[in-house]
Amino acid sequence: MTSKQIREKYIKFFTERGHKEIAPVKLVPENDSSTLFTSSGMQPLVPYLLGQTHPAGKRLVNSQPCFRAEDIEEVGDNRHTTFFEMLGNWSLGDYFKKKQLHWIWEFLTQELGLAKEKLYVSVFEGNRDVPKDEESFEIWKSLDIAEDHILFHGVSENWWSRSGSPDKMPVGEIGGPDSEVFYDFGNDNLLEIGNSVFIEYQKQEDGSLKELSQKNVDFGGGLERLTTAMLDQPDIFQTDLYDSILRKIEEITNKKYTENKAGMQVIADHMRAAEALIAEGVVPSNKLQGYVLRKLLRRSAVKLRQLNKSADLSLIVSGKVIKDETERFGRTIDHGLKEIEKLDHINGKAAFDLYQTFGFPYEITEELFRQKGQEIDKEQFKAEFEKHRDLSRAASAGMFKGGLADNSEIVTKYHTATHLLHQALRTVLGSSVFQKGSNITAERLRFDFSYERKMTDCEIKQVEDLVNQKIKEDLVVTKEIMDKDSAGKSGALGFFTEKYGDQVTVYSIGDFSKEICGGPHVERTGAIGGIKITKEEAVSGGTRRIKAEIMLR
Ligand code: SER
C-alpha cells in the first residue's frame, strides 16, 4: 500500500464516521508569535479543545505537515525526522476513549490489515494527580489484545502536552494521559505508529491540573511510520515518501543509500523540510525560522560534501534560495579552512568555536585534522556542545514548542485590542487600510497594515483615543458562525479565510468592528483596560507597523 493510499483510507475512514476534513495550516503559523513552527495537528485547534465552537463541528480529521526543529540532532537513524506528515482525528468534547480506541484498532487491523500479533499498546499508569487509566486498559482488553501486549508507563511516556510532562506545562496549557500503538519489527524493535491523547486537563496557577469542561480526543499518527509498518521493514526512509529524493542523492553522490544511511537520512529529511519552508516564503537568515532553514541547508551541505566533494545541494532540490545559500556557505567553508590553517593546535574548545562560528560540524573538523595528522579532544568538544545546547534550549524552549502562551488572559485581551485598533485605523485613515499581519505576545501587540506614508502624531493620538473610547464604552463582544459568503456580505473584514472551509467565525465588537477570526476574545471591551501606541514605523513600501501595549487604567 502506498503512503497516498494510507492517507486516503484514513481520511475516508473518519469522514465516514462523522468527521469533517479540515485544511492543514501552514508550517509557519500565522498570527501566533509563541511558536516558530506547526509541530502537531492539534496546535491550531487549541481554542476549540478549550471549548470554543469549531465551525466544522465536533469531529475533525486531517493530514497536517509538521516540523519539529527540536529534533534536528536526532536525525540520522531509521525513524527520526524534523519534517513529517501527521494524520489526525479529533473529538472536541464529543466521543471519548471507547470510540477512539475501537476505531483506531479497526483502522489499523482491518482497513490497513496490520497483523494483531505485531501490535503493542500502552496505557497511562497514573501518578499523584491523575489516576491510572483503567478505562483504556479495559477497552484494549475487550478488543482481544493479549495482556502482555498492553504496557503501562508513567508521565514520561504516556502523558502528552506540547511541553511534555505535567511539571513542564506552563499555566493555561492543556494535555492529558495518552495511549499509544506500537508496531513490532521483531527483536523488540518497537516503533510508535499512533497516539490517542485524551486532552482533559489544564494546568493551573497553583501547579495543579484542573479537568477541562469538555473531554477531548487528539489522535496523531505519523504517515511515514504507518507506511513503513505496512511494509514490515523498520526504515522509514525506504518508503515511497523518500524514494525520489534518495534516488537523487544517490545519483549526484554516486554512492548507495544502503552503504551511507546516516548521512543520506540527514540530507533527505533536511532537504524535504527546507523545500517545504522555502515554499512558504522562508529565506535563510540569522533569525527565527530563517535560522532554522539555514541550519538545515548547512547540515545538508556538509553531509553532502562528506559523501562527494563536488556534489551540489541545489541538484537535490532546485531553486535560487538554495543555490544562493550554498554559494554563501561555500565561502564560509573556505574562510573556516583558512582559520584552521592559522591554528597550530586545535583542542575541543576550538573545534566547538569552529562549529559555532562557521557551522563546521565536528566530523568535518575531525576529518580535516586527521588529514593533518592531529587528534581532537572529543570529550572537550562534547562538553562545550552540551553546555551551549542547554543554554540555547532553555532560551528557546518556548519558541520551538507548540504555541504555549496563546490563550492566556493577557493574550486574549491583546487579540480584542487588535480588532479595535484595526477598525480605528480604518476610521481615522480611511477604508483603504487593511491588515497585513499581526503578532501578539504577552507584552505587546504588533500590527502591520497597508498605508502609504508615516502617520502624523495627531493621527496616532486619534487612533489611540478612539480605541480607548471603545474600551471605555465596555462594548459586548459577540460571536457568530456563518458561511463564508454571508460573512463577506455582512461586511466582516476577513483574513486567512481559507483556513476552515466554508464555515467561519465572525466576531463583532458592539457595532464598531466585525472580523472573521478564530478568537479567543474577551467578553466585553472594558476588560482590556486601555492601550498605548508605543511605535509607528515602516516595514516596507506601502506597509506600516504599529506596536501597542495594554495599560492598566
Ligand atoms: N498531539 C499528539 C502528538 O503530537 C497526538 O496528535 O503526538
Side-chain angles (χ1 to χ4, degrees):
M1 207 181 284
T2 63
S3 56
K4 183 162 176 277
Q5 286 166 327
I6 296 173
R7 185 194 297 119
E8 283 167 3
K9 267 185 187 287
Y10 176 79
I11 304 282
K12 183 161 173 281
F13 183 89
F14 280 95
T15 46
E16 280 171 2
R17 284 157 184 77
H19 293 64
K20 278 268 175 53
E21 184 178 357
I22 52 169
V25 297
K26 294 192 168 166
L27 284 175
V28 177
E30 282 160 332
N31 273 336
D32 184 351
S33 66
S34 62
T35 186
L36 293 180
F37 300 104
T38 299
S39 61
S40 64
M42 62 76 86
Q43 202 169 297
L45 297 176
V46 173
Y48 309 102
L49 293 161
L50 279 163
Q52 207 185 119
T53 312
H54 193 289
K58 292 182 170 187
R59 295 182 182 190
L60 310 175
V61 63
N62 83 356
S63 170
Q64 173 66 54
C66 295
F67 181 77
R68 292 188 174 172
E70 67 272 26
D71 289 342
I72 199 163
E73 314 282 347
E74 316 288 337
V75 184
D77 63 14
N78 66 335
R79 60 186 64 192
H80 285 99
T81 58
T82 57
F83 180 62
F84 64 100
E85 193 175 324
M86 189 187 276
L87 302 180
N89 64 274
W90 294 273
S91 157
L92 304 172
D94 187 7
Y95 60 87
F96 203 44
K97 293 180 182 175
K98 187 162 174 199
K99 271 207 166 73
Q100 172 61 21
L101 300 183
H102 273 255
W103 279 340
I104 272 308
W105 192 249
E106 184 185 341
F107 177 71
L108 294 172
T109 58
Q110 289 173 35
E111 284 296 315
L112 298 187
L114 290 172
K116 268 171 109 165
E117 314 75 63
K118 296 251 182 192
L119 299 177
Y120 283 75
V121 300
S122 67
V123 176
F124 184 54
E125 71 179 10
N127 74 349
R128 204 189 47 208
D129 307 310
V130 178
K132 182 172 175 177
D133 190 357
E134 298 284 4
E135 191 184 343
S136 294
F137 178 63
E138 292 302 328
I139 298 168
W140 286 128
K141 268 203 322 199
S142 77
L143 285 163
D144 265 351
I145 300 176
E147 284 202 29
D148 63 353
H149 278 230
I150 308 178
L151 319 164
F152 277 96
H153 294 295
V155 285
S156 63
E157 305 282 332
N158 276 104
W159 181 276
W160 197 87
S161 81
R162 287 172 296 174
S163 34
S165 54
D167 55 318
K168 300 210 182 74
M169 288 162 69
V171 176
E173 181 59 354
I174 54 174
D178 64 34
S179 187
E180 298 161 309
V181 182
F182 299 85
Y183 187 84
D184 181 10
F185 291 97
N187 301 325
D188 281 335
N189 182 3
L190 296 185
L191 181 72
E192 181 201 328
I193 54 173
N195 189 10
S196 301
V197 186
F198 305 116
I199 298 194
E200 47 178 330
Y201 293 99
Q202 187 178 35
K203 185 77 172 262
Q204 303 299 299
E205 300 261 355
D206 65 5
S208 66
L209 292 166
K210 191 173 130 205
E211 284 192 41
L212 290 171
S213 56
Q214 69 182 39
K215 294 193 178 291
N216 309 285
V217 174
D218 159 38
F219 173 82
L223 180 64
E224 292 76 3
R225 291 176 171 209
L226 283 164
T227 309
T228 215
M230 286 296 287
L231 295 170
D232 196 27
Q233 65 79 24
D235 183 3
I236 63 162
F237 291 91
Q238 299 195 49
T239 61
D240 60 65
L241 288 155
Y242 291 92
D243 208 44
S244 72
I245 199 158
L246 280 182
R247 293 299 82 77
K248 264 192 212 162
I249 299 170
E250 284 186 321
E251 194 186 312
I252 64 166
T253 55
N254 207 13
K255 294 215 160 90
K256 284 211 175 70
Y257 170 67
T258 45
E259 287 156 19
N260 298 278
K261 283 191 181 170
M264 290 199 188
Q265 285 159 350
V266 171
I267 302 172
D269 167 65
H270 288 11
M271 292 307 285
R272 253 178 117 218
E275 190 176 19
L277 292 174
I278 292 168
E280 287 191 11
V282 180
V283 289
S285 73
N286 289 329
K287 278 199 344 213
L288 305 173
Q289 288 92 349
Y291 175 71
V292 177
L293 173 59
R294 170 161 284 169
K295 207 162 152 183
L296 291 169
L297 293 175
R298 293 192 168 189
R299 281 169 56 94
S300 306
V302 167
K303 292 286 174 201
L304 193 63
R305 199 185 147 98
Q306 284 173 313
L307 290 168
N308 183 326
K309 290 212 163 32
S310 53
D312 179 354
L313 214 51
S314 58
L315 291 175
I316 303 174
V317 173
S318 59
K320 186 167 158 31
V321 173
I322 292 180
K323 219 172 168 38
D324 289 353
E325 180 67 6
T326 317
E327 278 171 21
R328 208 174 295 132
F329 187 50
R331 288 196 292 274
T332 302
I333 292 188
D334 294 341
H335 193 122
L337 287 176
K338 280 204 198 99
E339 288 297 312
I340 290 175
E341 289 298 324
K342 284 190 218 151
L343 299 168
D344 49 329
H345 179 71
I346 195 144
N347 57 21
K349 167 115 178 44
F352 180 75
D353 288 342
L354 283 164
Y355 168 78
Q356 267 294 88
T357 320
F358 300 107
F360 264 54
Y362 178 77
E363 308 94 81
I364 293 263
T365 309
E366 194 183 34
E367 186 191 302
L368 292 169
F369 286 97
R370 220 180 282 122
Q371 285 160 15
K372 281 179 82 179
Q374 282 195 25
E375 287 288 335
I376 305 171
D377 183 348
K378 188 161 186 179
E379 290 310 312
Q380 198 181 11
F381 174 85
K382 271 206 217 144
E384 285 294 323
F385 183 83
E386 293 298 334
K387 198 165 84 190
H388 176 81
R389 186 158 73 174
D390 287 349
L391 284 175
S392 67
R393 272 213 179 132
S396 61
M399 287 301 273
F400 287 99
K401 296 255 162 77
L404 295 181
D406 227 26
N407 297 292
S408 65
E409 214 177 297
I410 183 77
V411 167
T412 305
K413 288 180 188 174
Y414 271 117
H415 269 294
T416 311
T418 303
H419 283 214
L420 291 174
L421 176 68
H422 187 189
Q423 184 53 48
L425 284 164
R426 289 169 61 89
T427 306
V428 174
L429 303 176
S431 55
S432 69
V433 166
F434 65 91
Q435 174 174 351
K436 297 199 87 172
S438 116
N439 172 295
I440 291 170
T441 70
E443 282 80 40
R444 55 119 183 91
L445 70 82
R446 196 178 83 195
F447 186 76
D448 293 351
F449 58 101
S450 58
Y451 198 55
E452 282 308 322
R453 59 164 174 84
K454 187 166 178 52
M455 287 171 70
T456 63
D457 288 348
C458 174
E459 284 164 340
I460 294 173
K461 173 120 186 17
Q462 268 179 296
V463 169
E464 188 181 286
D465 286 350
L466 185 52
V467 172
N468 286 325
Q469 174 60 33
K470 295 296 160 188
I471 291 172
K472 220 164 120 201
E473 285 171 20
D474 201 18
L475 301 172
V476 177
V477 182
T478 52
K479 184 177 93 174
E480 252 179 297
I481 291 176
M482 49 177 100
D483 61 66
K484 236 190 237 176
D485 286 348
S486 321
K489 285 196 198 108
S490 79
L493 301 172
F495 304 91
F496 319 123
T497 48
E498 78 285 3
K499 244 189 193 166
Y500 299 121
D502 287 341
Q503 299 286 304
V504 293
T505 314
V506 173
Y507 278 91
S508 305
I509 308 178
D511 54 14
F512 180 65
S513 140
K514 197 171 217 178
E515 271 193 44
I516 298 172
C517 168
H521 287 279
V522 298
E523 283 169 19
R524 301 185 76 106
T525 57
I528 302 169
I531 68 144
K532 172 142 196 62
I533 294 178
T534 54
K535 201 164 203 157
E536 193 276 342
E537 62 188 352
V539 181
S540 61
T543 305
R544 311 289 307 174
R545 169 170 292 177
I546 276 184
K547 288 189 182 163
E549 287 170 22
I550 285 178
M551 316 297 279
L552 294 174
R553 298 202 159 231

